[in-house]
């Protein structure tokens, strides 16, 4: 069929399975196991539905102002998108436009190569070392831009702020994006480096630590000029990207800092407890500073464990890809959910 000759063909990103079973344990998409802040639920019940007939604020002004106040930056330094994926996708489109290849790790968030292919951006991957860390020397080669998560996904490994700055120092002529989807579960954000590096964009999300994956809120923070370029591309693409409920409820979530710290603290405590239990069962893993654990067993293959867990309605994430085919990414759920997982694994491992 001739019309297909003009179709842009890409291999799409494959999201984690979204089962809908009554008593399942869903630990495969890094969602928060706790509800959003109490004020979010209360305000959701009071939303003025008549306002939904109008376009939302194209500039997402109240949410931008709330985030600027919370992070201590100017409102002109904030860019809001429909989930951090939207922010990152628009950042690829805006900043990665040279003929040189962009750089990102070989084991990382699997949307990066999809966006590069979609926008026809050349790219090269840089191999993580044997301990799953970035080698900063790999990012001293000529390039058209750099992106990496910190902590990394799916490994959960956190890089130091010194390492992030080393990459920024070596690359003053390109935009460096630090994807901090999981920074609230451990480590120090790269945000303080914004005062020194105008080519830095830090991207975060409400989907994990603020328990609002269903509302799709992400944001980037950078210098005013950089954010201005992002807004120019956004308004050339779709002015009214974020709906009214997301804007209103996002502001409410930012207000409740105590609840935010409470649930992230719970997740971190559960993660550390589960690490200890998994080690007793013969699992090994990098020292995750995210809301998941990237675990492999000493004798049982990851694929075997994945399908056994799935049969028991316990869902984790598995990739049959080089370097990571013997690991499972296990989202940290509630203590009760993790106890069900651990009980299953104890019984299963005892059979071998």
């Amino acid at each position: 069929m001739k019309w297909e000759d003009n179709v842009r063909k890409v291999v799409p990103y494959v999201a984690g399975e979204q089962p809908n079973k009554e008593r399942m344990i869903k630990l495969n998409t890094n969602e928060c196991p706790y509800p959003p802040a109490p004020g979010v639920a209360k305000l959701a019940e009071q939303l003025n539905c008549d306002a939904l007939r109008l376009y939302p604020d194209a500039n997402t002004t109240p949410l931008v102002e709330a985030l600027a106040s919370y992070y201590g930056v100017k409102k002109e330094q904030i860019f809001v998108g429909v989930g951090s994926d939207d922010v990152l996708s628009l950042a690829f489109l805006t900043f990665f436009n040279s003929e040189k290849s962009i750089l990102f790790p070989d084991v990382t968030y699997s949307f990066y190569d999809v966006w590069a292919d979609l926008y026809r951006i050349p790219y090269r991957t840089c191999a993580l070392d044997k301990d799953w860390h970035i080698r900063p020397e790999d990012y001293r080669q000529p390039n058209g831009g750099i992106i990496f998560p910190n902590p990394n996904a799916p490994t959960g490994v956190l890089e130091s702020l010194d390492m992030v700055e080393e990459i920024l120092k070596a690359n003053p002529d390109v935009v460096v994006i630090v994807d901090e989807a999981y920074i609230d579960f451990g480590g120090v954000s790269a945000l303080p480096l914004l005062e020194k590096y105008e080519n830095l964009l830090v991207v975060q999300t409400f989907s994990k630590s603020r328990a609002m994956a269903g509302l799709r809120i992400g944001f980037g923070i950078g210098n005013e000029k950089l954010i201005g370029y992002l807004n120019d591309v956004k308004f050339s693409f779709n002015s009214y990207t974020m709906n009214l409920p997301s804007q209103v409820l996002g502001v409410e979530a930012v207000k409740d800092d105590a609840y935010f710290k409470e649930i992230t603290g719970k997740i971190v405590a559960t993660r550390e407890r589960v690490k200890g239990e998994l080690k007793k069962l013969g699992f090994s893993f990098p020292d995750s500073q995210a809301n998941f654990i990237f675990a492999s067993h000493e004798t049982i293959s990851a694929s075997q464990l994945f399908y056994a867990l799935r049969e028991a309605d316990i869902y984790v994430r598995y990739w049959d890809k080089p370097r990571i085919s013997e690991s499972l990414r296990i989202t940290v759920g509630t203590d009760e959910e993790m106890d069900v997982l651990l009980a299953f694994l104890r019984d299963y491992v005892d059979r071998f």
Side-chain angles (χ1 to χ4, degrees), residues 289-300:
Q289 296 300 302
N291 66 335
F292 56 82
I293 301 167
F294 194 56
S296 59
H297 195 265
E298 56 192 13
T299 58
I300 307 171

Side-chain angles (χ1 to χ4, degrees), residues 114-149:
V114 174
W115 287 318
D117 287 338
L118 177 64
Y119 298 133
R120 299 177 182 174
I121 301 167
Y123 68 90
R124 286 198 297 274
T125 60
C126 303
L128 299 175
D129 70 18
K130 63 180 179 60
D131 297 317
W132 304 109
H133 279 282
I134 286 173
R135 296 183 295 196
E137 60 269 23
D138 291 342
Y139 294 82
R140 297 192 191 114
Q141 59 182 298
N143 66 80
I146 293 168
I147 182 169
F148 57 89

Side-chain angles (χ1 to χ4, degrees), residues 2 4 48 71 135 295 307:
K2 281 291 184 182
E4 286 189 282
N48 177 12
Y71 289 101
R135 296 183 295 196
Y307 287 110

Side-chain angles (χ1 to χ4, degrees), residues 47-151:
L47 279 175
N48 177 12
C49 288
D50 183 60
L52 299 181
R53 65 185 177 81
L54 304 173
Y55 284 111
D57 179 350
N59 295 303
T60 61
T61 305
L63 182 53
V64 165
E65 291 177 346
L67 287 167
S69 176
Y70 184 85
Y71 289 101
V73 297
K74 299 175 184 177
K75 64 181 182 179
E76 292 82 9
Q77 291 182 262
I78 300 283
F79 178 85
V80 170
V82 185
S84 60
D85 285 343
D86 182 44
V87 179
L88 292 168
S89 177
L90 286 169
F92 269 61
L93 193 58
T94 305
F95 302 120
F96 297 161
N97 285 296
S98 79
E99 295 180 355
K100 296 177 182 178
S101 296
I102 64 169
L103 305 176
F104 49 82
D106 64 332
V107 177
T108 194
Y109 185 30
S110 51
F111 229 138
Y112 296 162
D113 59 344
V114 174
W115 287 318
D117 287 338
L118 177 64
Y119 298 133
R120 299 177 182 174
I121 301 167
Y123 68 90
R124 286 198 297 274
T125 60
C126 303
L128 299 175
D129 70 18
K130 63 180 179 60
D131 297 317
W132 304 109
H133 279 282
I134 286 173
R135 296 183 295 196
E137 60 269 23
D138 291 342
Y139 294 82
R140 297 192 191 114
Q141 59 182 298
N143 66 80
I146 293 168
I147 182 169
F148 57 89
N150 196 34

Side-chain angles (χ1 to χ4, degrees), residues 123-239:
Y123 68 90
R124 286 198 297 274
T125 60
C126 303
L128 299 175
D129 70 18
K130 63 180 179 60
D131 297 317
W132 304 109
H133 279 282
I134 286 173
R135 296 183 295 196
E137 60 269 23
D138 291 342
Y139 294 82
R140 297 192 191 114
Q141 59 182 298
N143 66 80
I146 293 168
I147 182 169
F148 57 89
N150 196 34
N152 196 12
T155 65
V157 169
L158 177 76
E159 303 292 351
S160 70
L161 206 56
D162 287 342
M163 193 286 300
V164 175
E165 186 165 17
E166 186 176 346
I167 290 177
L168 282 161
K169 279 182 180 177
N171 294 277
D173 298 327
V174 299
V175 172
V176 177
I177 302 173
V178 183
D179 180 357
E180 292 188 342
Y182 303 100
I183 196 65
D184 296 322
F185 302 104
V188 179
S189 171
L191 287 173
L193 297 176
L194 289 171
E195 296 180 7
K196 296 171 65 176
Y197 300 96
E198 65 176 16
N199 60 323
L200 170 63
L201 177 67
V202 178
V203 178
Q204 295 189 14
T205 177
F206 282 46
S207 296
K208 320 298 182 185
S209 55
R210 294 192 186 275
M212 297 177 76
L215 281 177
R216 314 305 302 127
I217 303 172
F219 60 98
I221 307 180
N223 82 75
E224 296 165 62
K225 191 171 186 179
L226 184 149
I227 295 301
Y229 284 130
L230 257 180
N231 275 313
D232 288 345
V233 171
K234 171 194 170 180
F235 288 116
S236 302
F237 180 74
N238 183 350
S239 296

Side-chain angles (χ1 to χ4, degrees), residues 3 44 47 57 77 84 111 124 145 214 240 243 279 295 319 323 351:
W3 61 266
L47 279 175
D57 179 350
Q77 291 182 262
S84 60
F111 229 138
R124 286 198 297 274
Y240 302 104
N243 65 63
K279 282 181 181 177
W319 292 272
R323 295 194 72 184
R351 302 177 201 171

